[in-house]
Amino acid sequence: MATMGNISRRGLLGSTVAVAAAAATGITGSGTASAASRWTAAGTATATTTALPAPAGAAEIPTLWTEFLRNRYNHLQIPWVGTAGYGHGSRKRPHPRVRANVLHDGARPDGSADAAPVINAAIERVGRAGGGTVLIPPGTYRIDDIIRIGHDNVVLRGAGSGRTVLHATRSLEEIIGINRSRYGNSPNSSWSWSGGLVWLCPKDRYEALTGAIKAQNWPFEGWTGNDANEAVPLTDIVAPAARGDFTVTVADASRLRPGARVMLQLDDDTEHSLLAAMCGDVDGTATYTWSDKTKLLSYAPFNWPVRIASVHGRRVRLAQPLPLPVRAGWRPRISGVPHLMTGSGVEGITIDLVKTVRPKHLQDKGYNGLVMQCTWDCWADDIHVVNGDNGFLLVSAKGCTMSRTRASGRGYHHSYACREQSHDNLVTDFAIDAFTEVPTPGSGHHGINVEGLSCGNVWSRGRMDAGTFDSHRGLPFGNVRTEVTILNDGAHGGSADAGPLYGARFAHWNVTVTNERAGCVKIDEVAPYSATVAISTVRPFGQIDKPDFTGDLHSRLEAYGTPGAGPGRPRNLYEAQRALVG
């Protein structure tokens, strides 16, 4: 095709060789890898799926999608994300009974008085009573404090993002105090990537977290507490399992129950073979220097929350396939989740932050919109953030959905960020508007970010008039961006001690780049064992993303220059996977 001149020789060879290699390494009609493949040798490719026939008239060499249909849970380049989002991707959400109306409690809808105490008191009262909906009727409500949801099954519902407005007048730094990174003596503000003026977080976790910040004992932000040591092991896993398997064998299942929410934990070994596996064990992982990546190494253990589907003797079936293999050297175990909130949501609200000058990079004061932290099966729907430092944050979040969300105004550091081992979340029907102000000198914008060993996350059906597909290093893996139109003008972030930009199985599927900039979108020459499919023609200018690993990355480029659906190729990778869920 006419656009082939824009594909580098390495990209063409990598794509062609990888297709041929798929057959050579055992991607067969049965959907299992041969014993000779690297993945099988590493104990990662024995999961099986139902074989599906190739469509009539299919090419002799299968497309990525037809390959995936035969091998959906452990495909080499495409991750399984069909159960991402609230309720394993369910479009149905609870509508609990209205238990409070903030107008009846004295909130003023004309912005004349601080409504935060009234709103927070209603949320707390409803939460303590077991849950329900807190209604915020149409109007503008001034909030001089954080709106906090800290109990299960509480829904904060406005009348629609065009009708109910929370006008936030103060920053997180003003409300809580200065926040710094725990990594070194950095002068940078941690409000540049954490916290929100609407903050969903278990009450005990929120209090411990903000208490540590006030005491300047800079905390870990994740699932296992301020010192990352609060998870209680329930049982060890005693047999190897492959990526894509649903079942693990444990030492003692007496403390495990069907339906329980637990956490798979894996420790790395001295050879850093866990981190290498997250990168697909490409040859370059053997020569990559892991030992000085102090920030990356602090993300330990790997924590993946998962629900137990059933228990039969010592065999435990999980509700989702394993995103990584299980090997004895990683001390695999099932633990409790020490901090967790479920079943809560925010709907139909604009979060309007007082307009300030956009700060220099990493100096944010914390005019941040909405954050979900240590949450599972929570959601935000029809939320609009205006004039924020950061728009929407997922921090140690699992299976949450953000739908019909929008970031607009004077310009953001992160419009969307997904951090600290956040897994299987869905951001759908999202928008980043063109910024209304000229960027402050020294400021930066990233766009939609994923980092910190986060996997299984999806951005679907989006419009980005600013930003890029950002990884902040920290070795995220197995994430998808699909059916997105983007003016690609942002840059990736991440410090050198945070490790690789990408792990294996990133998929960029059906992406239209309106300014033809390749960086962070066309990733077949950057990310290992990944797929770039059906993106528009792009050119390499303003590039800063470079491969972390030497040698063959085994990544695939397909349908280059032809965004949209095609013969045997769905328009939206996530929705096509959802259709496979029985």
Side-chain angles (χ1 to χ4, degrees):
M1 63 181 67
T3 55
M4 281 295 183
N6 291 287
I7 308 177
S8 72
R9 183 175 182 271
R10 179 178 175 185
L12 275 172
L13 289 174
S15 180
T16 304
V17 170
V19 173
T25 56
I27 297 179
T28 67
S30 65
T32 59
S34 75
S37 76
R38 169 183 292 275
W39 284 102
T40 303
T44 61
T46 61
T48 60
T49 59
T50 303
L52 297 177
E60 183 175 338
I61 298 176
T63 65
L64 276 164
W65 178 246
T66 56
E67 286 179 10
F68 177 82
L69 289 175
R70 298 168 182 168
N71 191 32
R72 68 182 73 166
Y73 299 128
N74 66 338
H75 190 273
L76 290 176
Q77 286 88 11
I78 299 175
W80 170 256
V81 293
T83 48
Y86 171 87
H88 287 182
S90 173
R91 287 186 169 87
K92 296 180 180 179
R93 290 193 284 271
H95 297 281
R97 180 179 173 183
V98 175
R99 299 289 185 181
N101 182 322
V102 299
L103 285 184
H104 299 165
D105 292 343
R108 301 285 292 274
D110 59 3
S112 61
D114 179 16
V118 173
I119 297 172
N120 282 328
I123 292 170
E124 179 69 12
R125 184 174 71 249
V126 169
R128 285 182 177 275
T133 295
V134 175
L135 197 64
I136 308 182
T140 296
Y141 299 82
R142 196 184 90 211
I143 56 170
D144 301 337
D145 199 356
I146 299 162
I147 301 302
R148 303 181 295 276
I149 299 177
H151 296 276
D152 295 347
N153 305 316
V154 174
V155 177
L156 185 65
R157 182 180 300 152
S161 61
R163 303 181 66 201
T164 295
V165 178
L166 301 180
H167 177 62
T169 62
R170 298 201 296 162
S171 68
L172 294 168
E173 185 169 296
E174 291 176 280
I175 296 168
I176 296 174
I178 292 171
N179 193 7
R180 294 284 183 257
S181 171
R182 64 180 293 114
Y183 304 101
N185 296 313
S186 171
N188 297 330
S189 170
S190 289
W191 298 130
S192 299
W193 53 77
S194 62
L197 275 304
V198 177
W199 200 328
L200 285 74
C201 183
K203 185 176 181 180
D204 60 342
R205 185 74 183 99
Y206 174 87
E207 291 175 349
L209 188 73
T210 55
I213 293 168
K214 291 175 182 178
Q216 299 191 359
N217 296 323
W218 315 124
F220 283 103
E221 302 170 72
W223 296 104
T224 55
N226 290 352
D227 295 313
N229 62 358
E230 297 179 19
V232 176
L234 302 175
T235 185
D236 291 335
I237 298 174
V238 296
R243 176 171 60 86
D245 280 354
F246 283 81
T247 301
V248 295
T249 302
V250 300
D252 179 2
S254 62
R255 301 173 69 184
L256 306 180
R257 296 289 183 271
R261 299 174 190 263
V262 296
M263 187 158 58
L264 170 71
Q265 292 191 292
L266 303 173
D267 293 328
D268 206 0
D269 57 25
T270 57
E271 303 300 319
H272 300 297
S273 65
L274 174 59
L275 298 178
M278 291 175 179
C279 301
D281 285 312
V282 291
D283 290 341
T285 61
T287 55
Y288 183 80
T289 301
W290 299 101
S291 58
D292 63 353
K293 306 304 186 290
T294 53
K295 187 172 183 179
L296 174 63
L297 298 179
S298 76
Y299 299 143
F302 174 68
N303 297 311
W304 185 63
V306 64
R307 190 190 293 270
I308 293 176
S310 62
V311 180
H312 299 284
R314 294 192 297 122
R315 290 176 61 79
V316 178
R317 184 170 178 84
L318 308 175
Q320 294 172 270
L322 291 170
L324 289 169
V326 168
R327 301 178 190 167
W330 299 339
R331 197 186 155 224
R333 58 200 181 274
I334 293 176
S335 300
V337 187
H339 300 283
L340 179 63
M341 186 175 78
T342 67
S344 293
V346 183
E347 303 173 347
I349 290 172
T350 289
I351 305 169
D352 176 43
L353 301 120
V354 62
K355 188 175 180 182
T356 59
V357 175
R358 184 175 170 186
K360 291 184 178 180
H361 193 225
L362 302 175
Q363 299 304 309
D364 300 0
K365 300 295 184 183
Y367 290 103
N368 299 344
L370 181 144
V371 61
M372 295 182 179
Q373 186 163 8
C374 298
T375 55
W376 188 346
D377 280 339
C378 293
W379 71 91
D381 178 61
D382 185 23
I383 306 296
H384 184 192
V385 176
V386 182
N387 290 326
D389 291 340
N390 299 277
F392 299 89
L393 306 178
L394 293 159
V395 182
S396 296
K398 162 78 177 187
C400 295
T401 294
M402 292 184 174
S403 56
R404 299 191 299 163
T405 56
R406 177 182 169 199
S408 62
R410 48 90 161 153
Y412 291 76
H413 182 187
H414 304 93
S415 293
Y416 293 82
C418 182
R419 310 178 45 250
E420 293 285 334
Q421 306 206 44
S422 288
H423 309 300
D424 307 307
N425 300 292
L426 171 65
V427 180
T428 184
D429 298 295
F430 68 96
I432 302 173
D433 291 346
F435 298 154
T436 57
E437 305 289 331
V438 176
T440 304
S443 63
H445 178 238
H446 302 301
I448 57 174
N449 154 262
V450 61
E451 60 180 279
L453 304 186
S454 298
C455 71
N457 302 289
V458 177
W459 289 261
S460 171
R461 291 202 307 260
R463 173 183 56 80
M464 298 173 61
D465 292 332
T468 194
F469 292 174
D470 173 36
S471 161
H472 259 45
R473 299 193 175 276
L475 192 49
F477 64 97
N479 300 287
V480 167
R481 287 93 171 223
T482 183
E483 198 176 349
V484 179
T485 299
I486 176 175
L487 191 153
N488 187 15
D489 66 356
H492 78 74
S495 57
D497 64 350
L501 271 174
Y502 300 100
R505 292 176 302 284
F506 264 76
H508 291 175
W509 190 287
N510 184 15
V511 179
T512 299
V513 185
T514 59
N515 61 343
E516 296 189 340
R517 182 169 175 257
C520 301
V521 176
K522 185 178 180 291
I523 56 172
D524 57 292
E525 297 183 2
V526 182
Y529 276 111
S530 293
T532 303
V533 177
I535 69 165
S536 60
T537 305
V538 292
R539 297 176 291 119
F541 63 90
Q543 301 298 100
I544 63 169
D545 52 325
K546 299 177 181 178
D548 290 288
F549 305 110
T550 59
D552 194 347
L553 295 177
H554 302 283
S555 288
R556 304 274 290 276
L557 178 67
E558 185 175 280
Y560 177 68
T562 58
R569 182 180 76 242
R571 177 178 300 276
N572 187 293
L573 179 60
Y574 170 73
E575 292 179 356
Q577 291 193 23
R578 282 292 306 150
L580 301 175
V581 178

PDB file of all heavy atoms in Angstrom, residues 372-397:
ATOM      1  N   MET A 372      -9.643   7.049  42.618  1.00  0.00           N
ATOM      2  CA  MET A 372     -10.076   5.789  43.219  1.00  0.00           C
ATOM      3  C   MET A 372      -8.829   5.090  43.734  1.00  0.00           C
ATOM      4  O   MET A 372      -7.912   4.810  42.955  1.00  0.00           O
ATOM      5  CB  MET A 372     -10.792   4.925  42.193  1.00  0.00           C
ATOM      6  CG  MET A 372     -12.088   5.503  41.688  1.00  0.00           C
ATOM      7  SD  MET A 372     -12.882   4.359  40.526  1.00  0.00           S
ATOM      8  CE  MET A 372     -14.377   5.287  40.134  1.00  0.00           C
ATOM      9  N   GLN A 373      -8.789   4.804  45.032  1.00  0.00           N
ATOM     10  CA  GLN A 373      -7.592   4.248  45.662  1.00  0.00           C
ATOM     11  C   GLN A 373      -7.978   3.086  46.566  1.00  0.00           C
ATOM     12  O   GLN A 373      -8.828   3.231  47.444  1.00  0.00           O
ATOM     13  CB  GLN A 373      -6.859   5.324  46.459  1.00  0.00           C
ATOM     14  CG  GLN A 373      -5.529   4.893  47.023  1.00  0.00           C
ATOM     15  CD  GLN A 373      -4.663   6.076  47.429  1.00  0.00           C
ATOM     16  OE1 GLN A 373      -5.099   7.230  47.438  1.00  0.00           O
ATOM     17  NE2 GLN A 373      -3.420   5.793  47.748  1.00  0.00           N
ATOM     18  N   CYS A 374      -7.347   1.924  46.340  1.00  0.00           N
ATOM     19  CA  CYS A 374      -7.697   0.694  47.076  1.00  0.00           C
ATOM     20  C   CYS A 374      -9.184   0.403  46.928  1.00  0.00           C
ATOM     21  O   CYS A 374      -9.883   0.075  47.891  1.00  0.00           O
ATOM     22  CB  CYS A 374      -7.276   0.792  48.536  1.00  0.00           C
ATOM     23  SG  CYS A 374      -5.495   0.983  48.762  1.00  0.00           S
ATOM     24  N   THR A 375      -9.669   0.516  45.709  1.00  0.00           N
ATOM     25  CA  THR A 375     -11.070   0.267  45.384  1.00  0.00           C
ATOM     26  C   THR A 375     -11.168  -0.896  44.407  1.00  0.00           C
ATOM     27  O   THR A 375     -10.267  -1.123  43.592  1.00  0.00           O
ATOM     28  CB  THR A 375     -11.726   1.508  44.765  1.00  0.00           C
ATOM     29  OG1 THR A 375     -10.952   1.932  43.616  1.00  0.00           O
ATOM     30  CG2 THR A 375     -11.803   2.648  45.752  1.00  0.00           C
ATOM     31  N   TRP A 376     -12.294  -1.608  44.469  1.00  0.00           N
ATOM     32  CA  TRP A 376     -12.528  -2.757  43.597  1.00  0.00           C
ATOM     33  C   TRP A 376     -14.026  -2.771  43.291  1.00  0.00           C
ATOM     34  O   TRP A 376     -14.859  -2.654  44.181  1.00  0.00           O
ATOM     35  CB  TRP A 376     -12.110  -4.023  44.333  1.00  0.00           C
ATOM     36  CG  TRP A 376     -12.112  -5.290  43.538  1.00  0.00           C
ATOM     37  CD1 TRP A 376     -12.671  -5.534  42.320  1.00  0.00           C
ATOM     38  CD2 TRP A 376     -11.507  -6.528  43.950  1.00  0.00           C
ATOM     39  NE1 TRP A 376     -12.459  -6.840  41.942  1.00  0.00           N
ATOM     40  CE2 TRP A 376     -11.751  -7.472  42.917  1.00  0.00           C
ATOM     41  CE3 TRP A 376     -10.807  -6.933  45.084  1.00  0.00           C
ATOM     42  CZ2 TRP A 376     -11.303  -8.792  42.995  1.00  0.00           C
ATOM     43  CZ3 TRP A 376     -10.368  -8.244  45.151  1.00  0.00           C
ATOM     44  CH2 TRP A 376     -10.599  -9.158  44.127  1.00  0.00           C
ATOM     45  N   ASP A 377     -14.344  -2.886  42.024  1.00  0.00           N
ATOM     46  CA  ASP A 377     -15.741  -2.836  41.592  1.00  0.00           C
ATOM     47  C   ASP A 377     -16.398  -1.531  42.032  1.00  0.00           C
ATOM     48  O   ASP A 377     -17.496  -1.515  42.621  1.00  0.00           O
ATOM     49  CB  ASP A 377     -16.526  -4.041  42.127  1.00  0.00           C
ATOM     50  CG  ASP A 377     -16.295  -5.304  41.302  1.00  0.00           C
ATOM     51  OD1 ASP A 377     -15.874  -5.178  40.145  1.00  0.00           O
ATOM     52  OD2 ASP A 377     -16.533  -6.411  41.826  1.00  0.00           O
ATOM     53  N   CYS A 378     -15.739  -0.444  41.738  1.00  0.00           N
ATOM     54  CA  CYS A 378     -16.307   0.894  41.922  1.00  0.00           C
ATOM     55  C   CYS A 378     -16.379   1.573  40.563  1.00  0.00           C
ATOM     56  O   CYS A 378     -15.849   1.069  39.572  1.00  0.00           O
ATOM     57  CB  CYS A 378     -15.478   1.708  42.915  1.00  0.00           C
ATOM     58  SG  CYS A 378     -15.532   1.076  44.614  1.00  0.00           S
ATOM     59  N   TRP A 379     -17.029   2.732  40.492  1.00  0.00           N
ATOM     60  CA  TRP A 379     -17.210   3.358  39.186  1.00  0.00           C
ATOM     61  C   TRP A 379     -17.382   4.871  39.307  1.00  0.00           C
ATOM     62  O   TRP A 379     -17.717   5.414  40.364  1.00  0.00           O
ATOM     63  CB  TRP A 379     -18.419   2.760  38.470  1.00  0.00           C
ATOM     64  CG  TRP A 379     -19.751   3.130  39.059  1.00  0.00           C
ATOM     65  CD1 TRP A 379     -20.544   4.196  38.724  1.00  0.00           C
ATOM     66  CD2 TRP A 379     -20.432   2.450  40.125  1.00  0.00           C
ATOM     67  NE1 TRP A 379     -21.681   4.209  39.497  1.00  0.00           N
ATOM     68  CE2 TRP A 379     -21.639   3.153  40.365  1.00  0.00           C
ATOM     69  CE3 TRP A 379     -20.154   1.314  40.889  1.00  0.00           C
ATOM     70  CZ2 TRP A 379     -22.551   2.754  41.343  1.00  0.00           C
ATOM     71  CZ3 TRP A 379     -21.062   0.916  41.855  1.00  0.00           C
ATOM     72  CH2 TRP A 379     -22.238   1.627  42.066  1.00  0.00           C
ATOM     73  N   ALA A 380     -17.131   5.509  38.168  1.00  0.00           N
ATOM     74  CA  ALA A 380     -17.456   6.922  37.973  1.00  0.00           C
ATOM     75  C   ALA A 380     -18.114   7.045  36.608  1.00  0.00           C
ATOM     76  O   ALA A 380     -17.603   6.506  35.620  1.00  0.00           O
ATOM     77  CB  ALA A 380     -16.199   7.778  38.030  1.00  0.00           C
ATOM     78  N   ASP A 381     -19.235   7.721  36.548  1.00  0.00           N
ATOM     79  CA  ASP A 381     -19.967   7.852  35.288  1.00  0.00           C
ATOM     80  C   ASP A 381     -20.438   9.295  35.129  1.00  0.00           C
ATOM     81  O   ASP A 381     -20.944   9.905  36.081  1.00  0.00           O
ATOM     82  CB  ASP A 381     -21.171   6.906  35.274  1.00  0.00           C
ATOM     83  CG  ASP A 381     -21.986   7.052  33.999  1.00  0.00           C
ATOM     84  OD1 ASP A 381     -21.431   6.810  32.909  1.00  0.00           O
ATOM     85  OD2 ASP A 381     -23.167   7.440  34.079  1.00  0.00           O
ATOM     86  N   ASP A 382     -20.247   9.834  33.926  1.00  0.00           N
ATOM     87  CA  ASP A 382     -20.688  11.193  33.604  1.00  0.00           C
ATOM     88  C   ASP A 382     -20.049  12.199  34.573  1.00  0.00           C
ATOM     89  O   ASP A 382     -20.730  12.937  35.278  1.00  0.00           O
ATOM     90  CB  ASP A 382     -22.214  11.291  33.645  1.00  0.00           C
ATOM     91  CG  ASP A 382     -22.729  12.662  33.185  1.00  0.00           C
ATOM     92  OD1 ASP A 382     -22.008  13.363  32.441  1.00  0.00           O
ATOM     93  OD2 ASP A 382     -23.841  13.036  33.607  1.00  0.00           O
ATOM     94  N   ILE A 383     -18.708  12.192  34.594  1.00  0.00           N
ATOM     95  CA  ILE A 383     -17.944  13.109  35.440  1.00  0.00           C
ATOM     96  C   ILE A 383     -17.086  13.996  34.541  1.00  0.00           C
ATOM     97  O   ILE A 383     -16.370  13.505  33.665  1.00  0.00           O
ATOM     98  CB  ILE A 383     -17.047  12.347  36.435  1.00  0.00           C
ATOM     99  CG1 ILE A 383     -17.869  11.346  37.248  1.00  0.00           C
ATOM    100  CG2 ILE A 383     -16.309  13.328  37.341  1.00  0.00           C
ATOM    101  CD1 ILE A 383     -18.916  11.962  38.128  1.00  0.00           C
ATOM    102  N   HIS A 384     -17.131  15.284  34.794  1.00  0.00           N
ATOM    103  CA  HIS A 384     -16.374  16.273  34.030  1.00  0.00           C
ATOM    104  C   HIS A 384     -15.473  17.027  35.001  1.00  0.00           C
ATOM    105  O   HIS A 384     -15.959  17.578  36.000  1.00  0.00           O
ATOM    106  CB  HIS A 384     -17.344  17.230  33.331  1.00  0.00           C
ATOM    107  CG  HIS A 384     -16.697  18.237  32.439  1.00  0.00           C
ATOM    108  ND1 HIS A 384     -17.400  19.314  31.927  1.00  0.00           N
ATOM    109  CD2 HIS A 384     -15.435  18.363  31.963  1.00  0.00           C
ATOM    110  CE1 HIS A 384     -16.600  20.038  31.179  1.00  0.00           C
ATOM    111  NE2 HIS A 384     -15.395  19.479  31.174  1.00  0.00           N
ATOM    112  N   VAL A 385     -14.167  17.016  34.754  1.00  0.00           N
ATOM    113  CA  VAL A 385     -13.216  17.760  35.578  1.00  0.00           C
ATOM    114  C   VAL A 385     -12.714  18.957  34.777  1.00  0.00           C
ATOM    115  O   VAL A 385     -12.322  18.820  33.613  1.00  0.00           O
ATOM    116  CB  VAL A 385     -12.044  16.878  36.023  1.00  0.00           C
ATOM    117  CG1 VAL A 385     -11.015  17.694  36.806  1.00  0.00           C
ATOM    118  CG2 VAL A 385     -12.542  15.711  36.877  1.00  0.00           C
ATOM    119  N   VAL A 386     -12.726  20.131  35.418  1.00  0.00           N
ATOM    120  CA  VAL A 386     -12.360  21.372  34.749  1.00  0.00           C
ATOM    121  C   VAL A 386     -11.229  22.052  35.528  1.00  0.00           C
ATOM    122  O   VAL A 386     -11.307  22.198  36.745  1.00  0.00           O
ATOM    123  CB  VAL A 386     -13.572  22.331  34.654  1.00  0.00           C
ATOM    124  CG1 VAL A 386     -13.192  23.610  33.904  1.00  0.00           C
ATOM    125  CG2 VAL A 386     -14.751  21.646  33.977  1.00  0.00           C
ATOM    126  N   ASN A 387     -10.180  22.435  34.793  1.00  0.00           N
ATOM    127  CA  ASN A 387      -9.070  23.240  35.338  1.00  0.00           C
ATOM    128  C   ASN A 387      -8.283  22.529  36.435  1.00  0.00           C
ATOM    129  O   ASN A 387      -7.858  23.130  37.417  1.00  0.00           O
ATOM    130  CB  ASN A 387      -9.580  24.594  35.866  1.00  0.00           C
ATOM    131  CG  ASN A 387     -10.028  25.514  34.753  1.00  0.00           C
ATOM    132  OD1 ASN A 387      -9.465  25.495  33.661  1.00  0.00           O
ATOM    133  ND2 ASN A 387     -11.051  26.309  35.018  1.00  0.00           N
ATOM    134  N   GLY A 388      -8.041  21.232  36.238  1.00  0.00           N
ATOM    135  CA  GLY A 388      -7.293  20.489  37.243  1.00  0.00           C
ATOM    136  C   GLY A 388      -5.806  20.435  36.956  1.00  0.00           C
ATOM    137  O   GLY A 388      -5.348  20.647  35.825  1.00  0.00           O
ATOM    138  N   ASP A 389      -5.033  20.141  38.020  1.00  0.00           N
ATOM    139  CA  ASP A 389      -3.646  19.723  37.827  1.00  0.00           C
ATOM    140  C   ASP A 389      -3.643  18.309  37.261  1.00  0.00           C
ATOM    141  O   ASP A 389      -2.868  17.974  36.371  1.00  0.00           O
ATOM    142  CB  ASP A 389      -2.885  19.732  39.160  1.00  0.00           C
ATOM    143  CG  ASP A 389      -2.648  21.128  39.705  1.00  0.00           C
ATOM    144  OD1 ASP A 389      -2.719  22.102  38.937  1.00  0.00           O
ATOM    145  OD2 ASP A 389      -2.397  21.236  40.923  1.00  0.00           O
ATOM    146  N   ASN A 390      -4.504  17.458  37.833  1.00  0.00           N
ATOM    147  CA  ASN A 390      -4.686  16.084  37.385  1.00  0.00           C
ATOM    148  C   ASN A 390      -6.179  15.799  37.358  1.00  0.00           C
ATOM    149  O   ASN A 390      -6.913  16.237  38.249  1.00  0.00           O
ATOM    150  CB  ASN A 390      -3.970  15.115  38.314  1.00  0.00           C
ATOM    151  CG  ASN A 390      -2.471  15.355  38.365  1.00  0.00           C
ATOM    152  OD1 ASN A 390      -1.733  14.880  37.504  1.00  0.00           O
ATOM    153  ND2 ASN A 390      -2.006  16.101  39.365  1.00  0.00           N
ATOM    154  N   GLY A 391      -6.618  15.040  36.360  1.00  0.00           N
ATOM    155  CA  GLY A 391      -8.047  14.844  36.186  1.00  0.00           C
ATOM    156  C   GLY A 391      -8.587  13.633  36.913  1.00  0.00           C
ATOM    157  O   GLY A 391      -9.334  13.758  37.892  1.00  0.00           O
ATOM    158  N   PHE A 392      -8.225  12.423  36.445  1.00  0.00           N
ATOM    159  CA  PHE A 392      -8.769  11.174  36.960  1.00  0.00           C
ATOM    160  C   PHE A 392      -7.610  10.242  37.285  1.00  0.00           C
ATOM    161  O   PHE A 392      -6.762   9.975  36.427  1.00  0.00           O
ATOM    162  CB  PHE A 392      -9.688  10.521  35.926  1.00  0.00           C
ATOM    163  CG  PHE A 392     -10.870  11.359  35.549  1.00  0.00           C
ATOM    164  CD1 PHE A 392     -10.794  12.278  34.504  1.00  0.00           C
ATOM    165  CD2 PHE A 392     -12.066  11.241  36.241  1.00  0.00           C
ATOM    166  CE1 PHE A 392     -11.888  13.055  34.151  1.00  0.00           C
ATOM    167  CE2 PHE A 392     -13.168  12.016  35.893  1.00  0.00           C
ATOM    168  CZ  PHE A 392     -13.082  12.923  34.854  1.00  0.00           C
ATOM    169  N   LEU A 393      -7.593   9.697  38.515  1.00  0.00           N
ATOM    170  CA  LEU A 393      -6.492   8.851  38.957  1.00  0.00           C
ATOM    171  C   LEU A 393      -7.025   7.510  39.451  1.00  0.00           C
ATOM    172  O   LEU A 393      -7.997   7.451  40.208  1.00  0.00           O
ATOM    173  CB  LEU A 393      -5.702   9.524  40.082  1.00  0.00           C
ATOM    174  CG  LEU A 393      -5.163  10.932  39.810  1.00  0.00           C
ATOM    175  CD1 LEU A 393      -4.450  11.458  41.051  1.00  0.00           C
ATOM    176  CD2 LEU A 393      -4.210  10.930  38.620  1.00  0.00           C
ATOM    177  N   LEU A 394      -6.370   6.447  39.039  1.00  0.00           N
ATOM    178  CA  LEU A 394      -6.582   5.101  39.561  1.00  0.00           C
ATOM    179  C   LEU A 394      -5.298   4.703  40.270  1.00  0.00           C
ATOM    180  O   LEU A 394      -4.246   4.587  39.649  1.00  0.00           O
ATOM    181  CB  LEU A 394      -6.891   4.132  38.421  1.00  0.00           C
ATOM    182  CG  LEU A 394      -8.223   4.362  37.688  1.00  0.00           C
ATOM    183  CD1 LEU A 394      -8.193   3.711  36.305  1.00  0.00           C
ATOM    184  CD2 LEU A 394      -9.391   3.800  38.508  1.00  0.00           C
ATOM    185  N   VAL A 395      -5.378   4.514  41.590  1.00  0.00           N
ATOM    186  CA  VAL A 395      -4.202   4.208  42.402  1.00  0.00           C
ATOM    187  C   VAL A 395      -4.512   2.927  43.177  1.00  0.00           C
ATOM    188  O   VAL A 395      -5.374   2.921  44.048  1.00  0.00           O
ATOM    189  CB  VAL A 395      -3.874   5.363  43.367  1.00  0.00           C
ATOM    190  CG1 VAL A 395      -2.618   5.039  44.172  1.00  0.00           C
ATOM    191  CG2 VAL A 395      -3.708   6.676  42.617  1.00  0.00           C
ATOM    192  N   SER A 396      -3.826   1.839  42.842  1.00  0.00           N
ATOM    193  CA  SER A 396      -4.150   0.544  43.444  1.00  0.00           C
ATOM    194  C   SER A 396      -5.654   0.297  43.371  1.00  0.00           C
ATOM    195  O   SER A 396      -6.326   0.047  44.369  1.00  0.00           O
ATOM    196  CB  SER A 396      -3.654   0.473  44.890  1.00  0.00           C
ATOM    197  OG  SER A 396      -2.251   0.559  44.933  1.00  0.00           O
ATOM    198  N   ALA A 397      -6.170   0.371  42.154  1.00  0.00           N
ATOM    199  CA  ALA A 397      -7.590   0.129  41.887  1.00  0.00           C
ATOM    200  C   ALA A 397      -7.713  -1.145  41.060  1.00  0.00           C
ATOM    201  O   ALA A 397      -6.848  -1.453  40.235  1.00  0.00           O
ATOM    202  CB  ALA A 397      -8.214   1.298  41.149  1.00  0.00           C
TER     203      ALA A 397
END
